[in-house]
Amino acid sequence: MANPMYGSGPLRSRGSFGDRRNASSSDEIQLRIDPVHGDLDEEIDGLHSRVRLLKGVAQEINSEAKFQNDFLNQLQMTLMKAQAGVKNNMRRMNKSIIQQGSNHIVHVVLFALLCFFVVYLLSKFSRR
């Protein structure tokens, strides 16, 4: 049968048994450790080392996230500058096309038709 002083587990707070008035007036919690479970210190040390390892991993993740956030901000700024440059160049091209009039477009279309006609004639005469 389990000892009522220790209960079913190895640790019990003093507030869970005995005089409750005494436990509530004190800010300290007293623990009684079952001598059968003396390897708790080893488990606590193991958990402590794992917590330290997890803390290191969390700090590494935090620094990587900050680095990537800064990189994305720089990339966004670069894209905004590139977009502004393209917009300015398109504006300049539109102005030059308007200033030169529609003759420029007519010349391009005529050149394309001439090239098509030359290729057509070459293919027609090469069959014979």
Side-chain angles (χ1 to χ4, degrees), residues 9-121:
L11 301 176
R12 300 272 308 209
S13 71
R14 186 169 187 182
S16 65
F17 60 90
D19 188 12
R20 291 203 180 264
R21 285 176 289 151
N22 192 15
S24 65
S25 66
S26 173
D27 288 339
E28 298 178 13
I29 297 176
Q30 295 181 359
L31 297 175
R32 297 183 188 256
I33 299 176
D34 188 2
V36 174
H37 296 90
D39 61 341
L40 288 177
D41 289 335
E42 293 174 11
E43 290 182 34
I44 290 172
D45 289 339
L47 289 174
H48 184 67
S49 66
R50 288 181 184 165
V51 167
R52 264 190 270 129
L53 180 66
L54 285 174
K55 181 180 177 184
V57 169
Q59 288 173 343
E60 193 67 30
I61 290 172
N62 185 29
S63 65
E64 181 68 23
K66 285 180 181 178
F67 173 76
Q68 288 184 4
N69 190 24
D70 292 341
F71 178 73
L72 287 175
N73 287 338
Q74 289 176 354
L75 183 62
Q76 185 177 13
M77 289 300 293
T78 303
L79 288 175
M80 287 172 59
K81 289 177 183 178
Q83 185 179 15
V86 168
K87 189 175 183 180
N88 287 336
N89 287 337
M90 289 296 294
R91 194 175 303 140
R92 286 181 194 163
M93 285 178 56
N94 286 336
K95 283 182 182 179
S96 71
I97 289 174
I98 290 171
Q99 287 174 355
Q100 290 181 359
S102 61
N103 281 342
H104 180 68
I105 295 173
V106 171
H107 289 126
V108 170
V109 171
L110 288 175
F111 178 74
L113 287 174
L114 179 68
C115 289
F116 177 74
F117 185 70
V118 168
V119 169
Y120 175 75
L121 288 178

